[in-house]
Amino acid sequence: MAFFYRIFTLMFVLLIFCISSSTAQVDIEPASEITKETFQERVDTGDLLLVNFVGPGCKNCKEFAPIFNRVNTELLRESSEVKAVVVNDMETVRRFDIRKIPSVVLFRKSIPILYEGHNEAEEIFEWIGESKNVQGRYLNDDDFEHLTQASTGSTTGDWLVQFCDPERPQCEALIASWEAVAYRLKGKVNVATVDISKNPNLVKRFSVAIERTPYVVLFHNGKQFPFGLFHFGIVSLTHFAEKSYKHVQGTVVKPPPAPFDDLTESIANKLKETQASVPGLFVIIAVCLVVLSLVLCKVFCGGSSSRGFGSKGPKKGV
């Protein structure tokens, strides 16, 4: 009887141990808060940086902190290359056009993407794995037409393209949301960016003015549809690319200019610049050409006439 009592006691102790082990809480490692200067240094180095943007006196931020700390703990446990930090600076929040706090943003090679999901650690962790790579493409003068086939009917699919100048604050503010748009449209619409400071041919071809940037256009079946709203929201941009572009008047995409067209225009522009700097130059050139034509005409036509009437034939023998 004593033997069975000991066996029962041992089983009970083991059961209590298992229950206590399964319910034990894992030590949570809080994410460290960094200054805006340190944040900028980390972004500039291209680190994979998961940032929780918060603000002073923010009640929601305090409620979200334990969730973000769980994400940080899981990243540390897996020795992830993604590092989680907290930035408490409203100037930086406004710089990236973050509309609410707290907000989670993942920086990859200095390019941010805004998290739009629920405030749940598991969902955030899953999103990190899906968003490590930059979502949007970057197009330039050399590969734009080849990749988009914008003027030929686009056999590569639809393209949502933003023309922007990275130095312009309005363009910088759109980056995080633009990547979120690319994340939403993955597999449905190609999303890309053109840096107008480095691609003058595309700026000229699509008549892009810097004061109008960011300038967003959807290329669909050989036509271009400009995005007409002033607010570049994630939902409105996504809806435009999928449906609402149909309510916009589209125009046929002009083919890229041929090399001869560029040469002709370049010569014409040079002549216009010269005329502006030297008034009456075209008149002088025209007069010189007329005088030169008269001289040449006199030389050749006059020479032929004198040979025809002034010369005599060979004398006959006596």
Side-chain angles (χ1 to χ4, degrees):
M1 191 73 180
F3 174 75
F4 287 107
Y5 177 77
R6 289 174 182 173
I7 292 295
F8 177 78
T9 302
L10 180 61
M11 291 177 63
F12 180 76
V13 170
L14 288 174
L15 179 63
I16 296 298
F17 176 77
C18 292
I19 293 174
S20 62
S21 298
S22 62
T23 58
Q25 294 291 325
V26 178
D27 291 336
I28 300 298
E29 185 68 29
S32 58
E33 183 174 325
I34 61 176
T35 64
K36 65 177 182 180
E37 291 79 15
T38 303
F39 159 74
Q40 191 58 54
E41 291 173 1
R42 299 280 295 274
V43 169
D44 290 341
T45 58
D47 291 349
L48 279 168
L49 198 65
L50 184 71
V51 183
N52 177 22
F53 286 104
V54 300
C58 172
K59 181 181 178 181
N60 292 336
C61 299
K62 292 180 180 179
E63 294 176 353
F64 178 65
I67 299 172
F68 192 74
N69 289 337
R70 284 178 57 197
V71 175
N72 179 57
T73 302
E74 188 64 20
L75 291 172
L76 292 173
R77 189 183 70 81
E78 293 196 357
S79 300
S80 173
E81 56 185 338
V82 179
K83 307 303 178 186
V85 297
V86 178
V87 174
N88 187 343
D89 181 70
M90 293 308 295
E91 182 182 346
T92 307
V93 168
R94 287 189 291 269
R95 175 183 157 195
F96 291 101
D97 196 31
I98 295 172
R99 302 302 176 94
K100 67 178 183 67
I101 51 174
S103 278
V104 175
V105 178
L106 178 63
F107 289 83
R108 304 112 340 128
K109 299 179 180 179
S110 303
I111 299 175
I113 180 171
L114 180 67
Y115 173 69
E116 298 184 274
H118 300 95
N119 290 342
E120 298 177 1
E122 293 78 9
E123 188 173 338
I124 294 173
F125 198 77
E126 182 180 354
W127 171 80
I128 292 171
E130 297 173 348
S131 305
K132 283 184 179 180
N133 297 321
V134 176
Q135 305 294 312
R137 302 281 297 270
Y138 283 81
L139 303 172
N140 56 52
D141 284 340
D142 297 326
D143 63 15
F144 181 91
E145 189 63 31
H146 172 70
L147 292 176
T148 66
Q149 298 185 21
S151 63
T152 60
S154 186
T155 58
T156 59
D158 292 350
W159 287 79
L160 185 68
V161 180
Q162 67 149 328
F163 296 84
C164 70
D165 182 352
E167 300 299 322
R168 187 168 162 81
Q170 293 91 330
C171 291
E172 184 181 32
L174 180 59
I175 298 175
S177 297
W178 188 253
E179 275 289 292
V181 171
Y183 181 79
R184 283 190 174 204
L185 293 175
K186 186 189 300 182
K188 294 182 285 187
V189 177
N190 301 290
V191 178
T193 298
V194 172
D195 183 347
I196 67 171
S197 66
K198 298 179 180 178
N199 299 284
N201 293 339
L202 289 173
V203 171
K204 177 182 172 183
R205 179 182 174 188
F206 294 106
S207 303
V208 180
I210 186 171
E211 61 272 12
R212 293 174 57 197
T213 58
Y215 175 58
V216 176
V217 181
L218 178 75
F219 294 95
H220 169 77
N221 288 343
K223 288 187 176 182
Q224 59 188 52
F225 301 83
F227 180 75
L229 300 180
F230 292 103
H231 171 60
F232 295 95
I234 297 172
V235 174
S236 57
L237 285 167
T238 303
H239 189 261
F240 171 75
E242 292 182 313
K243 295 181 180 179
S244 63
Y245 74 89
K246 299 174 184 177
H247 305 294
V248 177
Q249 182 66 43
T251 56
V252 176
V253 179
K254 296 179 181 178
F260 181 76
D261 296 334
D262 291 336
L263 177 61
T264 304
E265 185 172 353
S266 176
I267 294 173
N269 290 334
K270 289 292 183 183
L271 289 174
K272 288 179 182 178
E273 292 173 5
T274 306
Q275 184 185 22
S277 60
V278 184
L281 179 62
F282 278 3
V283 176
I284 296 173
I285 294 175
V287 171
C288 290
L289 289 174
V290 171
V291 172
L292 180 60
S293 301
L294 291 174
V295 171
L296 292 176
C297 183
K298 181 68 175 177
V299 170
F300 289 101
C301 295
S304 300
S305 176
S306 59
R307 282 193 301 268
F309 293 97
S311 60
K312 296 180 179 180
K315 295 181 179 179
K316 296 183 179 179
V318 183

